Amino acid sequence: SFSFSLFPSTHRHRLVFLFLCRFLLFFPRERLFFLKHTLHKTMAEHLEPFPSFGTLATHAGQDPSKFPFGSVVPPINMSTTFAQSAPGQHQGYEYSRGGNPTRDPLEKQFAAIANGKHAITWASGLAATNAILQTLRPGDHVVSMNDLYGGTNRMFRRIGMAAGLRFDFVDTTSTEKLEAALRHDTKLVWVESPTNPLLQVTDIRGVAAAVRRRSPQAIFVVDNTFMSAFFQRPLELGADVEFASVTKYYNGHSDSLMGVTIMRDDAIHEKLRFLQFAAGAVPSPFDCYLVGRGLKTLHVRMEAHERNAYSVAYFLRDSGKCVKVNYPGLEDHPGHAVAKAQSTGFSGMISFRIKGGLQAAKTFLCSTKVFLLAESLGCVESLAEHPAIMTHASIVKEERERLGIYDDLVRLSVGIEDTLDLLQDLEQALCKAVPGACSVKPGDYVDVMEQLKQANKLTDRRALLAQRAKSGGPGLQLAAPAASYQQQQQQQ
């Protein structure tokens, strides 16, 4: 696409030399290995980042004029009861089960970052799930994703069914299958996206539309635990309720147990608020303080989780030690395109099937040093666990394997440690579990996200040049080369 005929021979050579210099400066040598494997638009076409997310997470509900002495941080108010000036005349709080000065600011934070109107915090994620089930009556029909967190699966099957609710568990990654399961008496639709532990992705917009067509009376709930509102906002995609286990990413520090439901509908809010007041599943003021502090760094942490997860996922995929790697950020993931269309990123959860079966999985989990062998997820520490033995043990083996939760499946919650340390830890554990060296080196995968971004820029440039050439338009236009080169030297 270059038109060199206007320049003398020596000047043409100079232009070519400067162009190559700029290219190599843009793509350092240690990164070029990756481009021969990856020249696709993996990072492109995401939703735009939600505006002012960090500002909302830091300041929503945190008005110092509302707190004693102008406190910048909401005080921890441990009082269970509040004095009244006369019978029935209180200052906004009567009894801490019905409201607390530390809990209320936190709920405003949650509503703001999820673009909701109301938020209710609960004593745990399963307490919130149980409250949603309590809005139903015996005989009501529920459609649920079949790949679920083990605790949710257990509650639906052993508590919900015992209470007379009727469940259909379907693969909601197929909107057609979900719509076929909807009935006139369907009152609740429950979806995880991505799912735990297989990272399956459901088209939330598509499901919302199907529910409105076939079962408009149903409440559509999306479990957003794996993503958080930083990467995905279910309410903006058509869900009635965003549910999440706050214990995970929202708190992020493995020191608080909590759940949250966020909604825009006043009637749903009033019903759930009454159930909380009547049944008492409230979080403690100290837990509310911890979570409120955690939310203020959510946007920083989630970016670090995703950056590390990209490196880990691509390293595992290319290591030669895995049968399959589940991460929506991989371009060959079945839900990759849907995930990009409804989220701003892919978060930090990965699962993979290791070569060698159950024994290899056990050896791997007992060999990691940075990754801790523990349940839970979404905290700053990297965690590894075995779903079939740990988080999903309550599901019978036949059902687990039908879903794809085999004995060789390992789930990783990628933390915010230094990337190279995580990759080296995985390498040594994989080599102990599966004999032989890894096919690739950890050091080559430290900055995969940056490599993908640069690859996309290159691909975008090539596409633009091809389009211009096809339309007969001008080729690549170069700025004054000498001045540009001098500027680069000054910057270096």
Side-chain angles (χ1 to χ4, degrees):
S1 300
F2 294 100
S3 298
F4 289 128
S5 58
L6 298 178
F7 301 102
S9 176
T10 55
H11 197 54
R12 292 202 302 267
H13 294 160
R14 185 182 180 195
L15 280 174
V16 172
F17 173 74
L18 291 174
F19 176 79
L20 291 174
C21 286
R22 294 181 68 184
F23 179 84
L24 291 174
L25 283 169
F26 217 61
F27 290 93
R29 184 177 179 182
E30 64 270 20
R31 293 180 180 175
L32 290 176
F33 88 96
F34 193 78
L35 299 183
K36 64 184 179 183
H37 301 295
T38 312
L39 279 175
H40 39 71
K41 295 169 70 68
T42 301
M43 299 293 295
E45 301 171 10
H46 266 305
L47 292 181
E48 290 295 318
F50 302 120
S52 302
F53 187 95
T55 305
L56 290 171
T58 303
H59 293 287
Q62 311 294 299
D63 185 357
S65 67
K66 303 292 180 63
F67 309 138
F69 313 110
S71 300
V72 174
V73 176
I76 304 172
N77 193 313
M78 298 298 293
S79 182
T80 58
T81 190
F82 302 87
Q84 302 184 15
S85 57
Q89 298 181 14
H90 54 79
Q91 301 179 52
Y93 301 97
E94 300 174 83
Y95 191 65
S96 200
R97 174 163 33 84
N100 178 274
T102 309
R103 188 161 80 238
D104 288 357
L106 174 62
E107 293 179 343
K108 291 178 181 177
Q109 275 180 284
F110 272 119
I113 64 174
N115 198 16
K117 184 178 180 181
H118 309 285
I120 304 175
T121 52
W122 303 82
S124 69
L126 284 174
T129 305
N130 186 55
I132 292 172
L133 290 187
Q134 286 181 320
T135 65
L136 308 178
R137 295 290 177 265
D140 285 348
H141 179 242
V142 179
V143 176
S144 170
M145 177 64 173
N146 55 4
D147 178 21
L148 287 170
Y149 160 57
T152 306
N153 190 299
R154 180 175 58 241
M155 177 169 287
F156 284 0
R157 293 181 182 276
R158 301 183 63 177
I159 297 178
M161 289 182 177
L165 302 178
R166 294 174 295 163
F167 287 81
D168 277 327
F169 296 91
V170 300
D171 177 10
T172 62
T173 62
S174 167
T175 306
E176 292 76 16
K177 291 181 180 179
L178 176 131
E179 187 163 5
L182 295 172
R183 306 194 315 224
H184 70 280
D185 58 346
T186 301
K187 297 298 177 62
L188 176 65
V189 176
W190 188 283
V191 166
E192 288 182 13
S193 187
T195 60
N196 182 358
L198 297 176
L199 282 299
Q200 297 185 77
V201 177
T202 291
D203 179 0
I204 298 174
R205 290 190 189 91
V207 170
V211 171
R212 297 298 165 256
R213 284 194 302 268
R214 296 290 300 274
S215 304
Q217 72 285 349
I219 297 175
F220 176 29
V221 180
V222 174
D223 184 340
N224 203 35
T225 299
F226 270 27
M227 296 292 276
S228 85
F230 178 76
F231 284 128
Q232 182 171 271
R233 285 180 167 175
L235 299 182
E236 294 184 357
L237 300 172
D240 296 307
V241 178
E242 176 193 329
F243 161 85
S245 172
V246 176
T247 309
K248 314 306 192 296
Y249 282 117
Y250 279 129
N251 179 52
H253 293 82
S254 302
D255 56 8
S256 179
L257 197 67
M258 192 182 294
V260 70
T261 51
I262 309 168
M263 69 292 293
R264 295 175 175 174
D265 187 274
D266 293 337
I268 297 175
H269 170 249
E270 290 173 6
K271 187 176 292 187
L272 289 175
R273 184 69 75 180
F274 169 76
L275 286 169
Q276 183 181 56
F277 177 74
V282 297
S284 76
F286 187 64
D287 282 326
C288 292
Y289 160 76
L290 289 174
V291 172
R293 183 177 64 173
L295 285 184
K296 294 180 180 181
T297 61
L298 178 66
H299 56 296
V300 181
R301 290 186 284 108
M302 295 308 291
E303 288 176 347
H305 285 298
E306 184 189 32
R307 184 173 60 251
N308 280 346
Y310 256 103
S311 294
V312 167
Y314 276 88
F315 174 75
L316 290 172
R317 186 194 68 174
D318 297 344
S319 68
K321 305 283 186 177
C322 301
V323 176
K324 182 181 181 182
V325 179
N326 302 311
Y327 182 61
L330 294 173
E331 72 284 357
D332 57 356
H333 186 283
H336 179 71
V338 174
K340 286 196 298 184
Q342 66 187 20
S343 67
T344 65
F346 297 115
S347 197
M349 295 302 300
I350 299 170
S351 64
F352 67 96
R353 293 181 61 192
I354 191 170
K355 292 181 178 179
L358 176 61
Q359 187 55 51
K362 287 183 176 180
T363 301
F364 170 83
L365 290 167
C366 292
S367 301
T368 56
K369 299 176 181 178
V370 180
F371 281 84
L372 303 175
L373 176 57
E375 294 189 8
S376 197
L377 58 100
C379 52
V380 293
E381 306 89 1
S382 291
L383 303 178
E385 67 104 9
H386 191 274
I389 297 176
M390 298 167 70
T391 54
H392 292 69
S394 61
I395 305 174
V396 296
K397 181 179 177 65
E398 293 74 15
E399 176 65 13
R400 283 201 312 267
E401 293 188 347
R402 189 182 67 81
L403 294 172
I405 306 174
Y406 297 102
D407 288 344
D408 58 2
L409 185 72
V410 174
R411 192 190 74 185
L412 300 180
S413 173
V414 183
I416 65 172
E417 301 93 338
D418 289 331
T419 311
L420 183 59
D421 292 333
L422 294 176
L423 297 175
Q424 290 176 338
D425 187 38
L426 292 173
E427 179 189 39
Q428 63 85 21
L430 286 170
C431 290
K432 289 180 180 177
V434 183
C438 287
S439 302
V440 291
K441 297 178 181 179
D444 292 336
Y445 287 77
V446 170
D447 58 350
V448 166
M449 276 192 71
E450 183 62 26
Q451 295 173 45
L452 289 170
K453 289 178 181 178
Q454 303 297 354
N456 289 332
K457 290 179 181 178
L458 179 61
T459 305
D460 289 341
R461 289 195 201 98
R462 289 175 171 172
L464 178 60
L465 291 173
Q467 183 179 7
R468 286 178 175 175
K470 186 176 181 180
S471 62
L476 181 65
Q477 304 297 309
L478 292 179
S484 176
Y485 183 63
Q486 289 171 0
Q487 290 174 0
Q488 288 186 9
Q489 286 182 321
Q490 290 173 359
Q491 291 173 357
Q492 288 181 343

